[in-house]
């Protein structure tokens, strides 16, 4: 009887020690506690008197390869040289209402992950959500306002 009790106690102690050791050396799952929000700058948008002349000026003097939307800067995400990404540069008419309700002359577009989940979190935090999420071939978009009234565009790219 003593031998069976001893084996049971040793087995239980080994199990508890193994569980404790595994708990100590296993890093916490950070994604479960903190959602990744902004992953980069998706674009810089600004108002100007004549967007077409502005694009021409930047093309002539700074070599931007402009198109009807402005210029797209392509790059690769992190160390994965197969995961292409881009940042958009776009001049808008100075009378555009696209930045409203902000009165500012610029708007920043941030790349994000899991836009639906992020919007739900922002609502809980009392952040002003300007519109509903819209989906296009190249991703999902929504606009929010920061604490100083700057309109911000959030973009979850289609990858």
């Amino acid at each position: 009887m003593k031998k069976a009790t001893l084996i049971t106690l040793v087995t239980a102690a080994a199990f508890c020690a193994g569980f404790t050791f595994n708990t100590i050396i296993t890093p916490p799952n950070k994604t479960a506690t903190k959602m990744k929000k902004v992953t980069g700058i998706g674009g810089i948008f600004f108002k100007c008197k004549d967007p077409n002349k502005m694009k021409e000026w930047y093309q002539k003097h700074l070599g931007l390869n402009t198109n009807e939307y402005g210029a797209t800067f392509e790059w690769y995400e992190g160390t994965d040289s197969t995961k292409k990404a881009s940042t958009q540069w776009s001049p808008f008419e100075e009378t555009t209402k696209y930045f409203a309700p902000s009165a500012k002359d610029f708007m920043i577009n941030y790349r994000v992950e899991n836009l639906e989940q992020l919007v739900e979190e922002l609502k809980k935090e009392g952040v002003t959500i300007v519109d509903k999420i819209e989906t296009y071939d190249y991703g999902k978009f929504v606009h929010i306002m920061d604490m100083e009234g700057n309109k911000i565009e959030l973009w979850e790219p289609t990858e």
Side-chain angles (χ1 to χ4, degrees):
M1 183 72 164
K2 289 183 183 180
K3 188 174 184 180
T5 304
L6 181 61
I7 290 173
T8 303
L9 286 173
V10 168
T11 304
F15 174 80
C16 289
F19 180 79
T20 302
F21 182 74
N22 186 45
T23 302
I24 291 170
I25 64 166
T26 304
N29 183 352
K30 294 189 186 230
T31 57
T33 58
K34 185 174 181 182
M35 186 179 91
K36 191 171 189 180
K37 295 183 179 185
V38 171
T39 62
I41 303 280
I44 305 293
F45 311 134
F46 62 95
K47 294 179 182 181
C48 60
K49 293 183 189 309
D50 188 332
N52 288 327
K53 286 185 179 176
M54 186 67 78
K55 288 183 273 188
E56 289 172 13
W57 188 93
Y58 273 87
Q59 184 176 42
K60 178 180 178 182
H61 298 289
L62 296 178
L64 268 64
N65 185 15
T66 59
N67 58 35
E68 64 181 303
Y69 302 108
T72 302
F73 298 93
E74 292 184 344
W75 45 275
Y76 293 94
E77 290 193 44
T79 57
D80 184 352
S81 63
T82 63
K83 195 170 184 182
K84 192 182 258 189
S86 64
T87 301
Q88 183 66 34
W89 172 90
S90 296
F92 282 76
E93 289 281 347
E94 67 181 343
T95 57
T96 187
K97 302 295 181 215
Y98 189 63
F99 299 2
S102 175
K104 303 294 173 96
D105 290 336
F106 66 90
M107 183 172 59
I108 298 176
N109 167 295
Y110 291 105
R111 297 168 58 91
V112 300
E113 292 180 348
N114 197 344
L115 186 59
E116 287 91 358
Q117 184 179 354
L118 176 56
V119 166
E120 290 307 313
E121 188 176 317
L122 293 172
K123 284 179 183 177
K124 290 176 190 172
E125 296 169 355
V127 173
T128 301
I129 312 297
V130 176
D131 47 20
K132 293 182 180 178
I133 295 173
E134 292 190 33
T135 303
Y136 300 92
D137 297 356
Y138 43 90
K140 298 176 188 175
F141 295 85
V142 75
H143 297 93
I144 65 171
M145 299 296 284
D146 73 12
M147 62 184 262
E148 291 193 1
N150 298 304
K151 186 175 179 183
I152 296 167
E153 188 170 68
L154 301 178
W155 170 43
E156 179 183 340
T158 304
E159 315 228 316

